[in-house]
Amino acid sequence: MLILLPLEILAAHLEQGFYSESCPSAEHIVWKALSAAVRKDPSIPAAIIRLYFHDCFVRGCDASVLLQTTSSKNPSELESFVNNGLRGLDVIHKAKAKVEAECPGIVSCADILAFAARDSTYKAGGIYYNVPSGRRDGTVSIESEVIEFLPHPFLDVPPMIKFFSNKSLSVKEMTALSGAHSIGSSHCAAFSSRLYTFNSSHPQDPTLDNKFANFLKKKCPVNATNSVVLDVVTPDRLDNQYYKNLKRNMGVLTTDQVLARNPLTAKIVKKYIDYPEVWIQDFADAMVHLGNLDVLTGRKGEIRNKCGAVNN
């Protein structure tokens, strides 16, 4: 007879196979939900990885990014302009509903998101890593904290390093995680200044390859509101092509291109170009470390019944 123990007495830290007895089918359920979503939309892995990053950098990996606003006086993280365009939330909600039907009150939304992010890296790049679990869900989500803790797309390397070091992530981990921009897209507004209003001497960012700049201008005319892919060579494949693009001055965002030019990161970029297997391992290790940021375990937080709202 399977005895389901309250989650808070099982462990006060993350561990591999946390749900092996309490909900052994949890990871498979998440995998099936993600797979169904990817069959309909191949861009879902990029959306899920971005969602995971946006969650973990604000209050740690506690699924606070999934909480809906319940009062206009207290807008949640989802209301921040930085989170405009976040996708994949429906995938997590559907996976949660299926897990709840199988194992009610056992598996956190934070862990479901962590599993989905891992599965997304496998779907997009064949990269697999083990996910320690046992996270609990946060009960607080504050709009203003998003701009405070998430790095902006206009930063140079030193301030980017500060954002990552504040989360105990190294320069190598920062550079490896940036490789997630091998998939996904960006709003034109996030880099249009590089095309039209860079500075008083150069309307166009001189570090941007001219042919590539002309390509981006066609995709993103002045005041455009659409998006473009971040890797024009292999847009749906999570691979080291991103770093090859940087070497050719074809990084879309400022935070991308500066990695190939700053001495603190340029050597790492070159290593990832020459040795793709090194990047794969570093990316996987960094994703695991990212998933350990400021997590709630033991008696902290809760196991939400639904990912969009705290329990009553």
Side-chain angles (χ1 to χ4, degrees):
M1 178 179 178
L2 181 63
I3 299 175
L4 302 183
L5 298 176
L7 196 61
E8 62 265 19
I9 70 173
L10 291 175
H13 58 275
L14 302 186
E15 61 182 47
Q16 188 64 36
F18 184 81
Y19 300 108
S20 59
E21 293 186 5
S22 59
C23 190
S25 59
E27 293 189 45
H28 183 62
I29 292 172
V30 175
W31 168 261
K32 287 180 65 177
L34 178 72
S35 298
V38 172
R39 285 194 293 270
K40 295 179 181 178
D41 181 0
S43 72
I44 283 296
I48 295 293
I49 293 172
R50 182 178 181 227
L51 183 63
Y52 185 56
F53 186 90
H54 280 228
D55 180 47
C56 291
F57 252 66
V58 183
R59 292 190 166 265
C61 305
D62 67 346
S64 59
V65 73
L66 302 174
L67 287 172
Q68 300 284 341
T69 295
T70 57
S71 168
S72 59
K73 294 181 180 179
N74 299 294
S76 72
E77 293 170 32
L78 281 176
E79 303 301 322
S80 172
F81 74 92
V82 178
N83 284 336
N84 284 347
L86 278 182
R87 298 184 303 117
L89 287 84
D90 58 325
V91 178
I92 306 303
H93 292 315
K94 289 178 182 178
K96 173 64 172 176
K98 292 180 182 298
V99 170
E100 281 295 303
E102 183 80 14
C103 316
I106 297 294
V107 184
S108 67
C109 298
D111 275 342
I112 289 173
L113 180 52
F115 295 146
R118 184 268 314 278
D119 294 346
S120 292
T121 69
Y122 185 77
K123 285 286 187 182
I127 302 170
Y128 185 86
Y129 54 89
N130 290 317
V131 176
S133 49
R135 298 166 187 80
R136 288 169 65 85
D137 298 322
T139 58
V140 177
S141 184
I142 302 173
E143 176 193 21
S144 60
E145 291 184 345
V146 177
I147 193 70
E148 180 181 355
F149 293 110
L150 269 176
H152 318 148
F154 314 105
L155 296 179
D156 201 348
V157 168
M160 267 212 302
I161 289 175
K162 182 173 176 57
F163 269 96
F164 278 78
S165 65
N166 285 343
K167 293 296 181 180
S168 300
L169 291 164
S170 69
V171 174
K172 183 176 76 171
E173 288 173 316
M174 177 188 79
T175 309
L177 288 170
S178 296
H181 285 176
S182 174
I183 53 177
S185 59
S186 172
H187 292 293
C188 293
F191 59 88
S192 62
S193 61
R194 299 187 70 202
L195 302 176
Y196 303 109
T197 58
F198 185 68
N199 60 34
S200 58
S201 303
H202 300 91
Q204 178 180 299
D205 185 346
T207 68
L208 195 58
D209 177 81
N210 196 54
K211 289 184 179 179
F212 186 57
N214 289 335
F215 166 81
L216 290 177
K217 286 177 180 177
K218 290 180 181 178
K219 295 287 185 180
C220 295
V222 178
N223 297 324
T225 58
N226 58 295
S227 299
V228 299
V229 294
L230 289 164
D231 175 1
V232 297
V233 182
T234 57
D236 295 319
R237 184 70 182 170
L238 183 62
D239 56 20
N240 74 329
Q241 182 62 48
Y242 164 81
Y243 300 100
K244 297 176 183 178
N245 293 344
L246 301 187
K247 191 70 174 177
R248 296 165 58 191
N249 294 320
M250 293 172 58
V252 174
L253 303 176
T254 298
T255 48
D256 294 326
Q257 193 57 59
V258 293
L259 296 176
R261 305 181 67 83
N262 190 289
L264 294 172
T265 51
K267 289 182 179 180
I268 304 173
V269 169
K270 185 179 186 304
K271 180 180 287 188
Y272 290 161
I273 293 172
D274 296 338
Y275 304 100
E277 69 279 5
V278 173
W279 170 70
I280 288 172
Q281 187 61 59
D282 286 352
F283 180 80
D285 291 344
M287 286 291 281
V288 173
H289 190 189
L290 177 67
N292 281 271
L293 295 181
D294 304 323
V295 293
L296 303 173
T297 58
R299 296 181 180 277
K300 297 178 181 178
E302 65 180 16
I303 305 299
R304 287 186 219 141
N305 298 323
K306 295 183 178 180
C307 292
V310 298
N311 297 339
N312 294 325

